[in-house]
Amino acid sequence: MNADALLPALQLIECPRDAMQGWPHLIATADKVRYLNALLQVGFDTLDFGSFVSPKAMPQMADTKEVLKGLDLGSTSTKLLAIVANERGAEEAVVYDTVHYLGFPFSISPTFQLRNTNSTIEESEQRVDAIQELCLKTGKELVIYLSMGFGNPYNDPYNEDILLHWADAMAEKDIRIISLADTVGLANPSQISKALITLIPQYPDITIGVHLHSTAQNWEAKLTAALDAGCLRFDGALKGIGGCPMAQDDLVGNMDTLLMIGYFKERGFLKEINEQAMYNCLQIADSIFQ
C-alpha cells in the first residue's frame, strides 16, 4: 500500500472574508464574486466567503447576500462558511441552502469579546445556544472560533483549565468543530502545541482546528507545531492578507495559503489542490488587493 494513502485527511479552509473585511477601501461586489468563484476551483475544503453582520460594524461585508447570489457552485466540492455575530445574522444566513457552515467568534478573553461582538462572554454563550438551535433545525453546522485561544494582550486570565472549560461548554452544546484562533499573532509554537495537546486527546469526536496569524519569519514553526500536535484543520488566506480589525491597530496577517499549500504538499497532503486555479486566484488577488 502507498504510504501516502495512510495519511489522514487534512482540511484547508481559505478565508477571503478575513482578507477583505479589513481592507482599507471597498471592494466591488463584482470583483468579490470573480475572486470567490476562482477560489472555488482550487480544491479547498471550505471557503470562508462572507459574513452576515451589521454593515455599520463591517461595511466591507454589507454585500454578502449579493455576492452569494453570484457564486457558481456547480463544479466545486468546496463548502461555504459564513461568519455571524448574533442570532439575527444567523437567521439571515440559514435561509441559504448553499451555506453549509456558520462560524461564530467566541472569545475566551472577556475584554476582546466585548470589543469584537459588543457582548459579554455570558451573553455570547447565550448567542451560541440560539445559533446552534437554528443550525440544528436547518441542517447547518456551527463552527466555533475560540478567539484569543492561545492567550491575549489584555491581561485577562488564560490557562489550560480555561481552555478546557470552554471546550467542554461547546461539546455539551453538540458543537463538532472548534477552531483556536491566534487573533493577534501572539502565539508562539510552544503555546500552539500546548493548547492543541491539551484539547485534541480530550475530544476525539470534535475537529479541533487552528486559525493562525503569522509573519514571514514564524509561519513554518507555527504550522509544524500544530501539525505535530495532531491538528488537521487549518485556516489561511492567499497573500497572507487580513486579520481581525477589532483586535489592534498593527495586525499580524493571516497565514499565507500559498506557503501552507507548499508546506503540506511536501508532507504528502493536499494532492487534490489545482495549482493552475490557485495561480489564477493569485493574479486576481494582485488586482484587488493593491
Side-chain angles (χ1 to χ4, degrees):
M1 181 181 292
N2 188 328
D4 289 345
L6 299 176
L7 287 172
L10 185 145
Q11 298 175 349
L12 185 58
I13 290 76
E14 174 63 16
C15 303
R17 182 270 318 165
D18 204 350
M20 292 186 289
Q21 68 181 9
W23 199 244
H25 59 77
L26 288 178
I27 301 168
T29 301
D31 286 335
K32 292 177 183 175
V33 170
R34 180 167 59 103
Y35 185 43
L36 294 172
N37 277 329
L39 289 169
L40 286 168
Q41 301 306 308
V42 174
F44 298 113
D45 180 87
T46 302
L47 194 66
D48 176 353
F49 80 98
S51 59
F52 292 83
V53 297
S54 166
K56 291 182 180 179
M58 208 68 70
Q60 190 72 258
M61 297 291 103
D63 60 351
T64 289
K65 294 178 183 178
E66 287 70 33
V67 167
L68 186 54
K69 293 174 184 176
L71 299 186
D72 180 6
L73 300 168
S75 60
T76 182
S77 61
T78 299
K79 298 176 286 292
L80 296 182
L81 181 150
I83 295 294
V84 300
N86 50 41
E87 188 176 1
R88 184 182 65 182
E91 288 170 345
E92 293 179 358
V94 297
V95 303
Y96 293 95
D97 292 339
T98 49
V99 175
H100 187 96
Y101 298 109
L102 270 60
F104 182 81
F106 185 95
S107 179
I108 59 177
S109 156
T111 301
F112 185 64
Q113 191 64 42
L114 278 171
R115 292 181 63 166
N116 195 35
T117 62
N118 194 32
S119 64
T120 65
I121 283 185
E122 292 75 21
E123 289 169 336
S124 295
E125 189 173 9
Q126 293 173 3
R127 292 182 184 184
V128 171
D129 290 334
I131 294 168
Q132 174 69 332
E133 184 177 351
L134 271 173
C135 286
L136 293 174
K137 285 181 179 178
T138 56
K140 309 299 184 187
E141 189 160 8
L142 180 56
V143 178
I144 293 294
Y145 293 90
L146 292 184
S147 60
M148 301 291 173
F150 304 98
N152 63 81
Y154 311 116
N155 294 318
D156 290 340
Y158 173 86
N159 53 49
E160 281 66 43
D161 288 339
I162 291 172
L163 198 56
L164 282 168
H165 168 78
W166 287 115
D168 276 339
M170 298 307 157
E172 289 175 2
K173 302 176 193 301
D174 202 28
I175 303 298
R176 287 291 169 259
I177 303 175
I178 295 174
S179 186
L180 298 184
D182 196 359
T183 314
V184 289
L186 292 175
N188 61 46
S190 176
Q191 291 169 320
I192 292 168
S193 177
K194 188 173 183 180
L196 291 170
I197 290 172
T198 297
L199 292 188
I200 289 175
Q202 293 291 325
Y203 305 99
D205 297 327
I206 296 177
T207 298
I208 306 292
V210 289
H211 182 107
L212 301 174
H213 294 177
S214 67
T215 65
Q217 290 73 39
N218 64 18
W219 69 270
E220 187 169 0
K222 288 188 174 189
L223 272 189
T224 300
L227 188 64
D228 287 351
C231 182
L232 291 169
R233 178 185 170 95
F234 294 84
D235 289 11
L238 285 181
K239 296 173 69 67
I241 299 168
C244 181
M246 303 298 185
Q248 58 182 31
D249 293 331
D250 298 318
L251 294 169
V252 178
N254 281 300
M255 192 163 283
D256 189 338
T257 307
L258 188 61
L259 296 174
M260 296 170 72
I261 288 173
Y263 175 93
F264 289 127
K265 275 184 167 286
E266 285 182 1
R267 288 152 181 79
F269 296 101
L270 301 181
K271 294 183 180 300
E272 71 282 2
I273 291 294
N274 183 327
E275 294 192 9
Q276 183 56 52
M278 181 184 62
Y279 282 106
N280 180 40
C281 293
L282 285 171
Q283 290 182 325
I284 298 173
D286 283 341
S287 69
I288 291 175
F289 300 105
Q290 59 179 334

PDB file of all heavy atoms in Angstrom, residues 166-202:
ATOM      1  N   TRP A 166     -14.092  26.024  28.282  1.00  0.00           N
ATOM      2  CA  TRP A 166     -14.920  26.477  27.162  1.00  0.00           C
ATOM      3  C   TRP A 166     -15.061  25.404  26.092  1.00  0.00           C
ATOM      4  O   TRP A 166     -16.094  25.318  25.430  1.00  0.00           O
ATOM      5  CB  TRP A 166     -14.370  27.779  26.591  1.00  0.00           C
ATOM      6  CG  TRP A 166     -14.642  28.922  27.517  1.00  0.00           C
ATOM      7  CD1 TRP A 166     -13.730  29.684  28.199  1.00  0.00           C
ATOM      8  CD2 TRP A 166     -15.928  29.403  27.927  1.00  0.00           C
ATOM      9  NE1 TRP A 166     -14.363  30.604  28.990  1.00  0.00           N
ATOM     10  CE2 TRP A 166     -15.714  30.456  28.833  1.00  0.00           C
ATOM     11  CE3 TRP A 166     -17.232  29.044  27.603  1.00  0.00           C
ATOM     12  CZ2 TRP A 166     -16.762  31.157  29.434  1.00  0.00           C
ATOM     13  CZ3 TRP A 166     -18.286  29.741  28.183  1.00  0.00           C
ATOM     14  CH2 TRP A 166     -18.048  30.772  29.089  1.00  0.00           C
ATOM     15  N   ALA A 167     -14.059  24.574  25.923  1.00  0.00           N
ATOM     16  CA  ALA A 167     -14.217  23.437  25.011  1.00  0.00           C
ATOM     17  C   ALA A 167     -15.288  22.486  25.532  1.00  0.00           C
ATOM     18  O   ALA A 167     -16.121  21.975  24.754  1.00  0.00           O
ATOM     19  CB  ALA A 167     -12.887  22.709  24.846  1.00  0.00           C
ATOM     20  N   ASP A 168     -15.301  22.249  26.837  1.00  0.00           N
ATOM     21  CA  ASP A 168     -16.349  21.422  27.444  1.00  0.00           C
ATOM     22  C   ASP A 168     -17.724  22.033  27.205  1.00  0.00           C
ATOM     23  O   ASP A 168     -18.690  21.326  26.879  1.00  0.00           O
ATOM     24  CB  ASP A 168     -16.118  21.292  28.951  1.00  0.00           C
ATOM     25  CG  ASP A 168     -15.136  20.192  29.309  1.00  0.00           C
ATOM     26  OD1 ASP A 168     -14.924  19.285  28.490  1.00  0.00           O
ATOM     27  OD2 ASP A 168     -14.571  20.241  30.419  1.00  0.00           O
ATOM     28  N   ALA A 169     -17.813  23.346  27.401  1.00  0.00           N
ATOM     29  CA  ALA A 169     -19.091  24.027  27.216  1.00  0.00           C
ATOM     30  C   ALA A 169     -19.598  23.859  25.786  1.00  0.00           C
ATOM     31  O   ALA A 169     -20.793  23.635  25.559  1.00  0.00           O
ATOM     32  CB  ALA A 169     -18.952  25.510  27.562  1.00  0.00           C
ATOM     33  N   MET A 170     -18.694  23.952  24.819  1.00  0.00           N
ATOM     34  CA  MET A 170     -19.101  23.800  23.419  1.00  0.00           C
ATOM     35  C   MET A 170     -19.439  22.348  23.098  1.00  0.00           C
ATOM     36  O   MET A 170     -20.371  22.065  22.333  1.00  0.00           O
ATOM     37  CB  MET A 170     -18.002  24.316  22.493  1.00  0.00           C
ATOM     38  CG  MET A 170     -17.712  25.806  22.670  1.00  0.00           C
ATOM     39  SD  MET A 170     -19.201  26.835  22.525  1.00  0.00           S
ATOM     40  CE  MET A 170     -18.685  28.301  23.440  1.00  0.00           C
ATOM     41  N   ALA A 171     -18.708  21.413  23.669  1.00  0.00           N
ATOM     42  CA  ALA A 171     -19.008  19.998  23.452  1.00  0.00           C
ATOM     43  C   ALA A 171     -20.395  19.652  23.976  1.00  0.00           C
ATOM     44  O   ALA A 171     -21.140  18.871  23.363  1.00  0.00           O
ATOM     45  CB  ALA A 171     -17.946  19.132  24.123  1.00  0.00           C
ATOM     46  N   GLU A 172     -20.760  20.240  25.108  1.00  0.00           N
ATOM     47  CA  GLU A 172     -22.081  19.991  25.677  1.00  0.00           C
ATOM     48  C   GLU A 172     -23.198  20.534  24.787  1.00  0.00           C
ATOM     49  O   GLU A 172     -24.334  20.052  24.848  1.00  0.00           O
ATOM     50  CB  GLU A 172     -22.168  20.620  27.068  1.00  0.00           C
ATOM     51  CG  GLU A 172     -21.326  19.899  28.117  1.00  0.00           C
ATOM     52  CD  GLU A 172     -21.321  20.610  29.453  1.00  0.00           C
ATOM     53  OE1 GLU A 172     -22.008  21.650  29.566  1.00  0.00           O
ATOM     54  OE2 GLU A 172     -20.641  20.127  30.379  1.00  0.00           O
ATOM     55  N   LYS A 173     -22.880  21.509  23.953  1.00  0.00           N
ATOM     56  CA  LYS A 173     -23.864  22.072  23.025  1.00  0.00           C
ATOM     57  C   LYS A 173     -23.869  21.328  21.693  1.00  0.00           C
ATOM     58  O   LYS A 173     -24.510  21.749  20.735  1.00  0.00           O
ATOM     59  CB  LYS A 173     -23.561  23.561  22.789  1.00  0.00           C
ATOM     60  CG  LYS A 173     -23.548  24.409  24.054  1.00  0.00           C
ATOM     61  CD  LYS A 173     -23.148  25.830  23.750  1.00  0.00           C
ATOM     62  CE  LYS A 173     -22.820  26.614  25.018  1.00  0.00           C
ATOM     63  NZ  LYS A 173     -23.919  26.692  25.964  1.00  0.00           N
ATOM     64  N   ASP A 174     -23.126  20.228  21.625  1.00  0.00           N
ATOM     65  CA  ASP A 174     -23.029  19.399  20.426  1.00  0.00           C
ATOM     66  C   ASP A 174     -22.313  20.110  19.280  1.00  0.00           C
ATOM     67  O   ASP A 174     -22.585  19.847  18.108  1.00  0.00           O
ATOM     68  CB  ASP A 174     -24.411  18.916  19.974  1.00  0.00           C
ATOM     69  CG  ASP A 174     -24.337  17.660  19.101  1.00  0.00           C
ATOM     70  OD1 ASP A 174     -23.376  16.886  19.265  1.00  0.00           O
ATOM     71  OD2 ASP A 174     -25.219  17.467  18.243  1.00  0.00           O
ATOM     72  N   ILE A 175     -21.398  21.026  19.621  1.00  0.00           N
ATOM     73  CA  ILE A 175     -20.538  21.640  18.609  1.00  0.00           C
ATOM     74  C   ILE A 175     -19.514  20.606  18.184  1.00  0.00           C
ATOM     75  O   ILE A 175     -18.874  19.967  19.027  1.00  0.00           O
ATOM     76  CB  ILE A 175     -19.842  22.890  19.164  1.00  0.00           C
ATOM     77  CG1 ILE A 175     -20.861  23.906  19.693  1.00  0.00           C
ATOM     78  CG2 ILE A 175     -18.928  23.510  18.112  1.00  0.00           C
ATOM     79  CD1 ILE A 175     -21.797  24.444  18.658  1.00  0.00           C
ATOM     80  N   ARG A 176     -19.311  20.442  16.880  1.00  0.00           N
ATOM     81  CA  ARG A 176     -18.416  19.404  16.386  1.00  0.00           C
ATOM     82  C   ARG A 176     -17.165  19.951  15.700  1.00  0.00           C
ATOM     83  O   ARG A 176     -16.288  19.191  15.313  1.00  0.00           O
ATOM     84  CB  ARG A 176     -19.178  18.472  15.432  1.00  0.00           C
ATOM     85  CG  ARG A 176     -20.155  17.555  16.178  1.00  0.00           C
ATOM     86  CD  ARG A 176     -19.361  16.537  16.996  1.00  0.00           C
ATOM     87  NE  ARG A 176     -20.182  15.778  17.951  1.00  0.00           N
ATOM     88  CZ  ARG A 176     -20.254  16.020  19.244  1.00  0.00           C
ATOM     89  NH1 ARG A 176     -19.577  17.022  19.765  1.00  0.00           N
ATOM     90  NH2 ARG A 176     -20.994  15.280  20.039  1.00  0.00           N
ATOM     91  N   ILE A 177     -17.073  21.284  15.563  1.00  0.00           N
ATOM     92  CA  ILE A 177     -15.861  21.894  15.008  1.00  0.00           C
ATOM     93  C   ILE A 177     -15.506  23.099  15.870  1.00  0.00           C
ATOM     94  O   ILE A 177     -16.311  24.025  16.030  1.00  0.00           O
ATOM     95  CB  ILE A 177     -16.033  22.337  13.544  1.00  0.00           C
ATOM     96  CG1 ILE A 177     -16.464  21.172  12.660  1.00  0.00           C
ATOM     97  CG2 ILE A 177     -14.725  22.934  13.015  1.00  0.00           C
ATOM     98  CD1 ILE A 177     -16.758  21.577  11.225  1.00  0.00           C
ATOM     99  N   ILE A 178     -14.314  23.079  16.442  1.00  0.00           N
ATOM    100  CA  ILE A 178     -13.790  24.192  17.227  1.00  0.00           C
ATOM    101  C   ILE A 178     -12.449  24.590  16.636  1.00  0.00           C
ATOM    102  O   ILE A 178     -11.567  23.746  16.436  1.00  0.00           O
ATOM    103  CB  ILE A 178     -13.613  23.797  18.706  1.00  0.00           C
ATOM    104  CG1 ILE A 178     -14.963  23.484  19.356  1.00  0.00           C
ATOM    105  CG2 ILE A 178     -12.895  24.906  19.470  1.00  0.00           C
ATOM    106  CD1 ILE A 178     -14.838  22.947  20.777  1.00  0.00           C
ATOM    107  N   SER A 179     -12.289  25.869  16.349  1.00  0.00           N
ATOM    108  CA  SER A 179     -11.027  26.355  15.795  1.00  0.00           C
ATOM    109  C   SER A 179     -10.414  27.347  16.767  1.00  0.00           C
ATOM    110  O   SER A 179     -11.061  28.316  17.178  1.00  0.00           O
ATOM    111  CB  SER A 179     -11.262  27.019  14.432  1.00  0.00           C
ATOM    112  OG  SER A 179     -10.034  27.360  13.823  1.00  0.00           O
ATOM    113  N   LEU A 180      -9.167  27.090  17.159  1.00  0.00           N
ATOM    114  CA  LEU A 180      -8.455  28.008  18.043  1.00  0.00           C
ATOM    115  C   LEU A 180      -7.849  29.133  17.208  1.00  0.00           C
ATOM    116  O   LEU A 180      -7.061  28.884  16.293  1.00  0.00           O
ATOM    117  CB  LEU A 180      -7.345  27.286  18.799  1.00  0.00           C
ATOM    118  CG  LEU A 180      -7.756  26.143  19.734  1.00  0.00           C
ATOM    119  CD1 LEU A 180      -6.536  25.618  20.482  1.00  0.00           C
ATOM    120  CD2 LEU A 180      -8.828  26.587  20.710  1.00  0.00           C
ATOM    121  N   ALA A 181      -8.224  30.362  17.543  1.00  0.00           N
ATOM    122  CA  ALA A 181      -7.774  31.499  16.747  1.00  0.00           C
ATOM    123  C   ALA A 181      -6.679  32.263  17.478  1.00  0.00           C
ATOM    124  O   ALA A 181      -6.824  32.619  18.655  1.00  0.00           O
ATOM    125  CB  ALA A 181      -8.953  32.428  16.451  1.00  0.00           C
ATOM    126  N   ASP A 182      -5.592  32.491  16.758  1.00  0.00           N
ATOM    127  CA  ASP A 182      -4.469  33.243  17.290  1.00  0.00           C
ATOM    128  C   ASP A 182      -4.844  34.720  17.444  1.00  0.00           C
ATOM    129  O   ASP A 182      -4.389  35.397  18.362  1.00  0.00           O
ATOM    130  CB  ASP A 182      -3.275  33.078  16.345  1.00  0.00           C
ATOM    131  CG  ASP A 182      -1.958  33.473  16.967  1.00  0.00           C
ATOM    132  OD1 ASP A 182      -1.960  33.898  18.129  1.00  0.00           O
ATOM    133  OD2 ASP A 182      -0.926  33.347  16.292  1.00  0.00           O
ATOM    134  N   THR A 183      -5.653  35.238  16.537  1.00  0.00           N
ATOM    135  CA  THR A 183      -6.284  36.561  16.560  1.00  0.00           C
ATOM    136  C   THR A 183      -5.288  37.712  16.392  1.00  0.00           C
ATOM    137  O   THR A 183      -5.441  38.522  15.481  1.00  0.00           O
ATOM    138  CB  THR A 183      -7.119  36.779  17.841  1.00  0.00           C
ATOM    139  OG1 THR A 183      -7.922  35.622  18.086  1.00  0.00           O
ATOM    140  CG2 THR A 183      -8.026  37.996  17.700  1.00  0.00           C
ATOM    141  N   VAL A 184      -4.308  37.826  17.252  1.00  0.00           N
ATOM    142  CA  VAL A 184      -3.348  38.928  17.125  1.00  0.00           C
ATOM    143  C   VAL A 184      -1.935  38.443  16.829  1.00  0.00           C
ATOM    144  O   VAL A 184      -0.993  39.232  16.845  1.00  0.00           O
ATOM    145  CB  VAL A 184      -3.343  39.816  18.391  1.00  0.00           C
ATOM    146  CG1 VAL A 184      -4.621  40.626  18.474  1.00  0.00           C
ATOM    147  CG2 VAL A 184      -3.150  38.983  19.647  1.00  0.00           C
ATOM    148  N   GLY A 185      -1.789  37.148  16.562  1.00  0.00           N
ATOM    149  CA  GLY A 185      -0.494  36.628  16.155  1.00  0.00           C
ATOM    150  C   GLY A 185       0.521  36.524  17.270  1.00  0.00           C
ATOM    151  O   GLY A 185       1.721  36.438  17.008  1.00  0.00           O
ATOM    152  N   LEU A 186       0.061  36.502  18.522  1.00  0.00           N
ATOM    153  CA  LEU A 186       0.992  36.454  19.651  1.00  0.00           C
ATOM    154  C   LEU A 186       1.500  35.054  19.961  1.00  0.00           C
ATOM    155  O   LEU A 186       2.526  34.888  20.615  1.00  0.00           O
ATOM    156  CB  LEU A 186       0.302  37.012  20.908  1.00  0.00           C
ATOM    157  CG  LEU A 186      -0.018  38.509  20.912  1.00  0.00           C
ATOM    158  CD1 LEU A 186      -0.801  38.867  22.181  1.00  0.00           C
ATOM    159  CD2 LEU A 186       1.257  39.326  20.836  1.00  0.00           C
ATOM    160  N   ALA A 187       0.767  34.041  19.538  1.00  0.00           N
ATOM    161  CA  ALA A 187       1.098  32.671  19.945  1.00  0.00           C
ATOM    162  C   ALA A 187       2.438  32.231  19.366  1.00  0.00           C
ATOM    163  O   ALA A 187       2.725  32.437  18.186  1.00  0.00           O
ATOM    164  CB  ALA A 187       0.004  31.714  19.492  1.00  0.00           C
ATOM    165  N   ASN A 188       3.242  31.608  20.197  1.00  0.00           N
ATOM    166  CA  ASN A 188       4.471  31.007  19.705  1.00  0.00           C
ATOM    167  C   ASN A 188       4.245  29.504  19.522  1.00  0.00           C
ATOM    168  O   ASN A 188       3.224  28.966  19.972  1.00  0.00           O
ATOM    169  CB  ASN A 188       5.643  31.302  20.649  1.00  0.00           C
ATOM    170  CG  ASN A 188       5.430  30.734  22.044  1.00  0.00           C
ATOM    171  OD1 ASN A 188       5.018  29.591  22.205  1.00  0.00           O
ATOM    172  ND2 ASN A 188       5.741  31.547  23.058  1.00  0.00           N
ATOM    173  N   PRO A 189       5.152  28.814  18.850  1.00  0.00           N
ATOM    174  CA  PRO A 189       4.940  27.380  18.590  1.00  0.00           C
ATOM    175  C   PRO A 189       4.685  26.558  19.847  1.00  0.00           C
ATOM    176  O   PRO A 189       3.864  25.637  19.832  1.00  0.00           O
ATOM    177  CB  PRO A 189       6.236  26.969  17.891  1.00  0.00           C
ATOM    178  CG  PRO A 189       6.689  28.213  17.203  1.00  0.00           C
ATOM    179  CD  PRO A 189       6.341  29.324  18.144  1.00  0.00           C
ATOM    180  N   SER A 190       5.366  26.886  20.932  1.00  0.00           N
ATOM    181  CA  SER A 190       5.179  26.136  22.174  1.00  0.00           C
ATOM    182  C   SER A 190       3.757  26.292  22.702  1.00  0.00           C
ATOM    183  O   SER A 190       3.134  25.313  23.150  1.00  0.00           O
ATOM    184  CB  SER A 190       6.183  26.612  23.227  1.00  0.00           C
ATOM    185  OG  SER A 190       5.961  25.964  24.470  1.00  0.00           O
ATOM    186  N   GLN A 191       3.215  27.510  22.648  1.00  0.00           N
ATOM    187  CA  GLN A 191       1.848  27.743  23.102  1.00  0.00           C
ATOM    188  C   GLN A 191       0.837  27.020  22.220  1.00  0.00           C
ATOM    189  O   GLN A 191      -0.153  26.472  22.705  1.00  0.00           O
ATOM    190  CB  GLN A 191       1.565  29.247  23.121  1.00  0.00           C
ATOM    191  CG  GLN A 191       2.329  30.012  24.182  1.00  0.00           C
ATOM    192  CD  GLN A 191       2.233  31.508  23.984  1.00  0.00           C
ATOM    193  OE1 GLN A 191       2.292  32.013  22.856  1.00  0.00           O
ATOM    194  NE2 GLN A 191       2.095  32.239  25.083  1.00  0.00           N
ATOM    195  N   ILE A 192       1.088  27.033  20.909  1.00  0.00           N
ATOM    196  CA  ILE A 192       0.203  26.344  19.971  1.00  0.00           C
ATOM    197  C   ILE A 192       0.191  24.855  20.271  1.00  0.00           C
ATOM    198  O   ILE A 192      -0.874  24.218  20.366  1.00  0.00           O
ATOM    199  CB  ILE A 192       0.652  26.621  18.522  1.00  0.00           C
ATOM    200  CG1 ILE A 192       0.414  28.092  18.169  1.00  0.00           C
ATOM    201  CG2 ILE A 192      -0.092  25.703  17.545  1.00  0.00           C
ATOM    202  CD1 ILE A 192       1.079  28.535  16.892  1.00  0.00           C
ATOM    203  N   SER A 193       1.375  24.291  20.435  1.00  0.00           N
ATOM    204  CA  SER A 193       1.481  22.869  20.728  1.00  0.00           C
ATOM    205  C   SER A 193       0.787  22.516  22.035  1.00  0.00           C
ATOM    206  O   SER A 193       0.018  21.543  22.115  1.00  0.00           O
ATOM    207  CB  SER A 193       2.956  22.472  20.793  1.00  0.00           C
ATOM    208  OG  SER A 193       3.097  21.113  21.131  1.00  0.00           O
ATOM    209  N   LYS A 194       1.026  23.304  23.071  1.00  0.00           N
ATOM    210  CA  LYS A 194       0.457  23.015  24.396  1.00  0.00           C
ATOM    211  C   LYS A 194      -1.061  23.057  24.370  1.00  0.00           C
ATOM    212  O   LYS A 194      -1.734  22.178  24.932  1.00  0.00           O
ATOM    213  CB  LYS A 194       1.004  24.007  25.421  1.00  0.00           C
ATOM    214  CG  LYS A 194       0.641  23.675  26.860  1.00  0.00           C
ATOM    215  CD  LYS A 194       1.352  24.613  27.813  1.00  0.00           C
ATOM    216  CE  LYS A 194       1.061  24.244  29.265  1.00  0.00           C
ATOM    217  NZ  LYS A 194       1.749  25.162  30.219  1.00  0.00           N
ATOM    218  N   ALA A 195      -1.629  24.058  23.699  1.00  0.00           N
ATOM    219  CA  ALA A 195      -3.085  24.185  23.640  1.00  0.00           C
ATOM    220  C   ALA A 195      -3.712  23.006  22.904  1.00  0.00           C
ATOM    221  O   ALA A 195      -4.721  22.433  23.342  1.00  0.00           O
ATOM    222  CB  ALA A 195      -3.465  25.498  22.964  1.00  0.00           C
ATOM    223  N   LEU A 196      -3.118  22.629  21.776  1.00  0.00           N
ATOM    224  CA  LEU A 196      -3.686  21.537  20.979  1.00  0.00           C
ATOM    225  C   LEU A 196      -3.517  20.188  21.673  1.00  0.00           C
ATOM    226  O   LEU A 196      -4.428  19.348  21.636  1.00  0.00           O
ATOM    227  CB  LEU A 196      -3.032  21.514  19.597  1.00  0.00           C
ATOM    228  CG  LEU A 196      -3.405  22.702  18.695  1.00  0.00           C
ATOM    229  CD1 LEU A 196      -2.525  22.716  17.451  1.00  0.00           C
ATOM    230  CD2 LEU A 196      -4.877  22.654  18.301  1.00  0.00           C
ATOM    231  N   ILE A 197      -2.386  19.977  22.305  1.00  0.00           N
ATOM    232  CA  ILE A 197      -2.184  18.723  23.035  1.00  0.00           C
ATOM    233  C   ILE A 197      -3.133  18.633  24.230  1.00  0.00           C
ATOM    234  O   ILE A 197      -3.553  17.550  24.641  1.00  0.00           O
ATOM    235  CB  ILE A 197      -0.704  18.597  23.470  1.00  0.00           C
ATOM    236  CG1 ILE A 197       0.176  18.356  22.240  1.00  0.00           C
ATOM    237  CG2 ILE A 197      -0.518  17.481  24.479  1.00  0.00           C
ATOM    238  CD1 ILE A 197       1.666  18.396  22.525  1.00  0.00           C
ATOM    239  N   THR A 198      -3.511  19.793  24.760  1.00  0.00           N
ATOM    240  CA  THR A 198      -4.495  19.823  25.841  1.00  0.00           C
ATOM    241  C   THR A 198      -5.875  19.404  25.349  1.00  0.00           C
ATOM    242  O   THR A 198      -6.587  18.652  26.025  1.00  0.00           O
ATOM    243  CB  THR A 198      -4.580  21.239  26.449  1.00  0.00           C
ATOM    244  OG1 THR A 198      -3.323  21.574  27.036  1.00  0.00           O
ATOM    245  CG2 THR A 198      -5.668  21.327  27.505  1.00  0.00           C
ATOM    246  N   LEU A 199      -6.265  19.879  24.146  1.00  0.00           N
ATOM    247  CA  LEU A 199      -7.636  19.678  23.677  1.00  0.00           C
ATOM    248  C   LEU A 199      -7.848  18.413  22.844  1.00  0.00           C
ATOM    249  O   LEU A 199      -8.830  17.684  23.061  1.00  0.00           O
ATOM    250  CB  LEU A 199      -8.087  20.883  22.847  1.00  0.00           C
ATOM    251  CG  LEU A 199      -8.291  22.209  23.568  1.00  0.00           C
ATOM    252  CD1 LEU A 199      -8.931  23.224  22.626  1.00  0.00           C
ATOM    253  CD2 LEU A 199      -9.138  22.048  24.816  1.00  0.00           C
ATOM    254  N   ILE A 200      -6.987  18.161  21.885  1.00  0.00           N
ATOM    255  CA  ILE A 200      -7.268  17.119  20.892  1.00  0.00           C
ATOM    256  C   ILE A 200      -7.504  15.748  21.513  1.00  0.00           C
ATOM    257  O   ILE A 200      -8.493  15.081  21.169  1.00  0.00           O
ATOM    258  CB  ILE A 200      -6.151  17.090  19.821  1.00  0.00           C
ATOM    259  CG1 ILE A 200      -6.255  18.339  18.937  1.00  0.00           C
ATOM    260  CG2 ILE A 200      -6.257  15.828  18.956  1.00  0.00           C
ATOM    261  CD1 ILE A 200      -5.136  18.493  17.929  1.00  0.00           C
ATOM    262  N   PRO A 201      -6.683  15.279  22.457  1.00  0.00           N
ATOM    263  CA  PRO A 201      -6.963  13.955  23.033  1.00  0.00           C
ATOM    264  C   PRO A 201      -8.252  13.904  23.855  1.00  0.00           C
ATOM    265  O   PRO A 201      -8.849  12.840  24.003  1.00  0.00           O
ATOM    266  CB  PRO A 201      -5.742  13.701  23.927  1.00  0.00           C
ATOM    267  CG  PRO A 201      -4.683  14.626  23.445  1.00  0.00           C
ATOM    268  CD  PRO A 201      -5.415  15.835  22.969  1.00  0.00           C
ATOM    269  N   GLN A 202      -8.683  15.056  24.357  1.00  0.00           N
ATOM    270  CA  GLN A 202      -9.875  15.099  25.194  1.00  0.00           C
ATOM    271  C   GLN A 202     -11.169  15.002  24.400  1.00  0.00           C
ATOM    272  O   GLN A 202     -12.211  14.620  24.934  1.00  0.00           O
ATOM    273  CB  GLN A 202      -9.895  16.398  26.012  1.00  0.00           C
ATOM    274  CG  GLN A 202      -8.800  16.503  27.047  1.00  0.00           C
ATOM    275  CD  GLN A 202      -8.978  15.530  28.190  1.00  0.00           C
ATOM    276  OE1 GLN A 202     -10.093  15.238  28.604  1.00  0.00           O
ATOM    277  NE2 GLN A 202      -7.866  15.004  28.701  1.00  0.00           N
TER     278      GLN A 202
END
